[in-house]
Amino acid sequence: MLRKRYWHVKNKWRRHLSLTGDPVLRPHLPPTRLLRRSTLRKFLKKYDVVYVKPVYGSFGNRILRIARQGDEYVLHYENKSKRYSSRKKVMKRVFRHARSRPYHIQRGIRLVKLGGRPVDFRVLVLRTDSKWNVMGIMGKAATGNRVVTNYHHGGRAVRFGEALHRAGWTREEIRRAKKGIERLSLVAAERFGRRHKHCRRLGIDIGLDREKRIWFIEVNTNPFYELFRHHEDRALYARIDRQMKRIASKQSNRW
């Protein structure tokens, strides 16, 4: 069996770089850089919202959100927030949080919201044989005061069409968005698969902004799929589970 180090790309920066060279995907990738004092200073000057994410991490852990409000900055971590009076002070807090661990920064997307809380979408793409297939799309809504929608941080499962309908999208806008997400996800999977030939499962986190543009937030190479228990197609979870087990029969969890 193939060891995990060959099929699972732990480094999120490497995952991001795997997509950046594609001209079709490039307009859908939010500005993203490795965390440096110079890059953070530039992002805080240029963007109203910046996310600070660990290069090695999962389940939405240790993510910071920084929002500029006038001359001040509000830093959100998990379900807490604190206000800083200057860019210098909030940068000091970020680097104290990161210590010497590698992080990257990403421009925040103004996501569609349900009840005032942000929603993003997980696209599950699998390759059991030679062809990538989009298995389905599910939404994740943030809960409480949290800034991440991650299911393991209490994010609430919401169905794609239902979420966008409640956000005020028309049936035609929902149809176009679904078609666009599926098309772009397959482009991403094909490109990612060429760079990482042993990868067979991708969980792609997609954001839709208030102008209805599609954004690739993150690609995961060892995705959980419990979210799809809530899909409107009641048989979908079982199909996914069967395909995941076929893939797992060829891939070990040993490093």
Side-chain angles (χ1 to χ4, degrees):
M1 292 178 72
L2 198 66
R3 291 205 172 199
K4 195 170 185 177
R5 63 176 174 267
Y6 297 111
W7 60 264
H8 175 40
V9 184
K10 289 181 69 176
N11 187 311
K12 293 185 180 184
W13 179 244
R14 281 183 61 204
R15 295 183 215 161
H16 172 74
L17 292 180
S18 297
L19 304 181
T20 54
D22 192 291
V24 174
L25 299 176
R26 199 177 299 124
H28 302 279
L29 299 174
T32 306
R33 299 288 185 273
L34 285 173
L35 175 63
R36 303 282 186 266
R37 293 192 181 279
S38 58
T39 55
L40 182 58
R41 186 180 299 111
K42 179 180 177 181
F43 270 47
L44 291 176
K45 285 182 179 179
K46 191 171 183 179
Y47 305 120
D48 291 335
V49 177
V50 176
Y51 281 86
V52 183
K53 305 179 180 182
V55 168
Y56 298 98
S58 56
F59 306 136
N61 292 323
R62 299 195 64 79
I63 292 177
L64 303 178
R65 179 183 185 270
I66 307 168
R68 184 172 59 198
Q69 294 183 1
D71 294 329
E72 295 184 320
Y73 296 87
V74 179
L75 185 146
H76 299 264
Y77 178 49
E78 295 183 346
N79 60 350
K80 300 175 183 176
S81 63
K82 185 174 179 179
R83 190 174 294 271
Y84 292 85
S85 59
S86 69
R87 186 166 58 243
K88 183 177 179 180
K89 289 180 179 178
V90 79
M91 287 180 63
K92 184 177 179 180
R93 172 66 180 88
V94 168
F95 282 96
R96 192 165 69 245
H97 173 82
R99 299 179 187 175
S100 59
R101 294 181 292 257
Y103 273 70
H104 63 286
I105 57 177
Q106 187 175 76
R107 186 195 117 194
I109 304 303
R110 295 191 176 276
L111 298 172
V112 294
K113 291 186 175 183
L114 285 182
R117 295 191 172 99
V119 179
D120 63 17
F121 300 93
R122 165 61 59 91
V123 187
L124 187 65
V125 193
L126 302 180
R127 179 165 60 101
T128 49
D129 297 307
S130 60
K131 184 181 177 183
W132 288 97
N133 293 290
V134 174
M135 301 301 297
I137 309 172
M138 277 294 295
K140 302 167 290 169
T143 56
N145 295 320
R146 294 188 179 275
V147 298
V148 296
T149 62
N150 193 280
Y151 197 51
H152 292 84
H153 270 279
R156 181 168 56 87
V158 289
R159 294 169 179 170
F160 179 78
E162 177 186 329
L164 295 182
H165 176 73
R166 288 170 57 192
W169 291 42
T170 66
R171 185 176 299 179
E172 177 60 21
E173 287 170 339
I174 295 169
R175 186 195 68 79
R176 284 202 305 266
K178 185 172 186 286
K179 186 176 179 180
I181 288 171
E182 290 176 341
R183 178 181 66 85
L184 290 169
S185 294
L186 287 174
V187 172
E190 291 287 349
R191 181 171 181 85
F192 202 93
R194 288 194 294 271
R195 294 287 296 272
H196 307 284
K197 64 181 181 179
H198 297 300
C199 179
R200 291 183 171 274
R201 36 187 159 182
L202 293 177
I204 303 176
D205 288 333
I206 295 284
L208 293 169
D209 68 16
R210 297 170 193 179
E211 285 72 45
K212 300 180 173 61
R213 292 175 295 195
I214 298 169
W215 297 97
F216 280 71
I217 299 171
E218 187 173 300
V219 176
N220 301 278
T221 55
N222 188 25
F224 289 84
Y225 53 98
E226 288 299 302
L227 194 64
F228 289 87
R229 287 186 183 275
H230 303 278
H231 198 275
E232 60 267 25
D233 179 354
R234 293 298 187 181
L236 178 61
Y237 180 83
R239 291 200 301 273
I240 291 171
D241 193 54
R242 285 194 298 271
Q243 293 208 27
M244 281 290 203
K245 285 175 179 174
R246 283 184 60 192
I247 293 169
S249 69
K250 304 171 186 176
Q251 296 180 339
S252 168
N253 276 318
R254 292 180 58 197
W255 282 99

